[in-house]
Amino acid sequence: MPDQPRILVVEDDHDTAEMLMAYFEAQGYDVASSAWGQDAVQVAQQEPVPDLILLDIRLPDMDGYEVCKLLRAQRRTTDVPVIFLTERRERSDRLSGLELGAVDYITKPFDIQELRLRVRNALQRSQFQSLVHPITGLSSEQLVDERLSSLLTRQNWVVMTIGVGGLDEFADQYGFVARDDVLRALALVLSNSAPEGQTDADASFVGQMSDTSFVLVAEAGRAAELRDRITARLRQSVNYFYPAKERDLPAGERPQLIFSLGVLTDQNGPYSNHQALKLAAINAMKTL
């Protein structure tokens, strides 16, 4: 999450929208607003993506429930926390909002100090969740960068980078559930491989640099062993990512998953910062 969290206020009452914008800007937030549901969906897809959305249920073009559904259907905004603001006080309305994945439901008129605390708490929970990849549960880029930074002053380490290509074509053919299953399976292979034979438990680390690339940190002496083990397990398992009826098809008759792997040790350095180390590790990747 950026130093100045971004809030999108979706509210058609001009006075309420102005009050919320002025208040949260004074609290140090970057605030945008929209009075229409469809406009809000479009704004939320643009950079920077909001860190939180305050969403009125009664809007001129569609209700907030429909807006929330559209936001959840888009990969860029599926995990953005939503807090509903509404005059509706019925239990059924509250349950409808929570069923759509809203993190909170606040009725009008509301106490602005209470709303501030609820926004703060929702952002803190979201920040913690952003430290892990939503599909694999592995440490995400921020934690990967911290781990790589810690290696700059240490010795006896190996950084392995593992990538998978062809996932877009794979998803087009078999769907996003099958695509996510590939990522989870790859994460499992790496997580199971990393600690095997490790003498120092703290030296082992597996994280995710991007949606399709992973990093494994271990003791330098295990570089060849890990490379061979991971390569063998990926080659043994790749066929099972496909439907049973397509496992015997020739390579050209089904979307191909292309795995790549790179190996870097402390002997390849030194590196000026973690970005230089990360770039060298990525450049070391070769197709299996």
Side-chain angles (χ1 to χ4, degrees):
M1 192 166 60
D3 292 339
Q4 191 178 35
R6 182 174 176 83
I7 297 175
L8 174 59
V9 175
V10 187
E11 169 64 68
D12 68 325
D13 182 88
H14 179 76
D15 291 339
T16 302
E18 286 290 315
M19 181 272 291
L20 289 171
M21 289 188 66
Y23 180 79
F24 282 106
E25 284 175 350
Q27 297 296 316
Y29 294 97
D30 175 21
V31 187
S33 71
S34 177
W36 297 75
Q38 192 61 52
D39 289 345
V41 174
Q42 294 176 1
V43 170
Q45 302 304 314
Q46 300 169 5
E47 292 289 349
V49 175
D51 296 294
L52 181 139
I53 298 174
L54 293 175
L55 177 58
D56 188 18
I57 290 181
R58 186 175 297 172
L59 296 169
D61 53 340
M62 63 176 73
D63 67 35
Y65 298 136
E66 184 62 27
V67 174
C68 192
K69 287 180 183 178
L70 293 173
L71 292 169
R72 292 290 176 253
Q74 301 292 324
R75 292 182 75 89
R76 289 170 66 87
T77 52
T78 189
D79 295 316
V80 174
V82 172
I83 295 178
F84 277 120
L85 302 176
T86 179
E87 294 93 351
R88 301 181 184 180
R89 297 176 178 272
E90 296 297 325
R91 179 173 178 271
S92 58
D93 293 322
R94 182 183 296 270
L95 290 177
S96 295
L98 296 177
E99 284 176 356
L100 290 172
V103 299
D104 216 334
Y105 186 103
I106 299 177
T107 55
K108 300 177 181 178
F110 49 80
D111 183 300
I112 192 65
Q113 293 295 334
E114 179 183 355
L115 178 59
R116 176 182 66 83
L117 293 175
R118 289 179 183 245
V119 165
R120 184 201 65 183
N121 293 342
L123 286 168
Q124 288 177 343
R125 290 194 299 269
S126 178
Q127 183 178 28
F128 173 77
Q129 292 168 354
S130 71
L131 296 178
V132 297
H133 192 275
I135 295 173
T136 66
L138 292 179
S139 298
S140 62
E141 186 175 15
Q142 180 178 335
L143 296 180
V144 168
D145 288 348
E146 290 179 4
R147 189 57 179 249
L148 294 180
S149 293
S150 74
L151 299 179
L152 299 175
T153 56
R154 294 170 50 191
Q155 297 179 326
N156 190 38
W157 51 259
V158 58
V159 171
M160 305 188 69
T161 41
I162 302 93
V164 53
L167 277 176
D168 289 342
E169 294 79 5
F170 188 88
D172 288 342
Q173 181 77 16
Y174 306 115
F176 282 99
V177 173
R179 175 191 186 276
D180 292 349
D181 284 344
V182 171
L183 292 174
R184 280 189 284 266
L186 181 51
L188 188 62
V189 166
L190 300 179
S191 297
N192 288 341
S193 299
E196 293 183 15
Q198 187 83 28
T199 58
D200 179 2
D202 292 335
S204 176
F205 172 86
V206 178
Q208 201 152 348
M209 294 188 296
S210 70
D211 195 37
T212 60
S213 61
F214 301 76
V215 63
L216 185 154
V217 178
E219 296 168 335
R222 302 182 59 219
E225 162 216 338
L226 279 170
R227 181 194 62 223
D228 293 345
R229 178 183 297 139
I230 292 169
T231 299
R233 289 180 177 178
L234 288 177
R235 287 174 175 168
Q236 290 167 2
S237 61
V238 65
N239 220 31
Y240 294 96
F241 297 146
Y242 296 88
K245 63 182 179 180
E246 297 191 16
R247 290 173 187 167
D248 295 326
L249 289 178
E253 295 184 17
R254 66 183 188 184
Q256 290 303 293
L257 294 173
I258 303 169
F259 295 99
S260 54
L261 186 148
V263 179
L264 210 64
T265 73
D266 58 299
Q267 298 301 309
N268 298 114
Y271 302 96
S272 58
N273 52 49
H274 76 275
Q275 292 290 359
L277 172 55
K278 182 191 292 187
L279 180 60
I282 292 172
N283 290 336
M285 295 171 69
K286 296 180 180 178
T287 302
L288 296 180

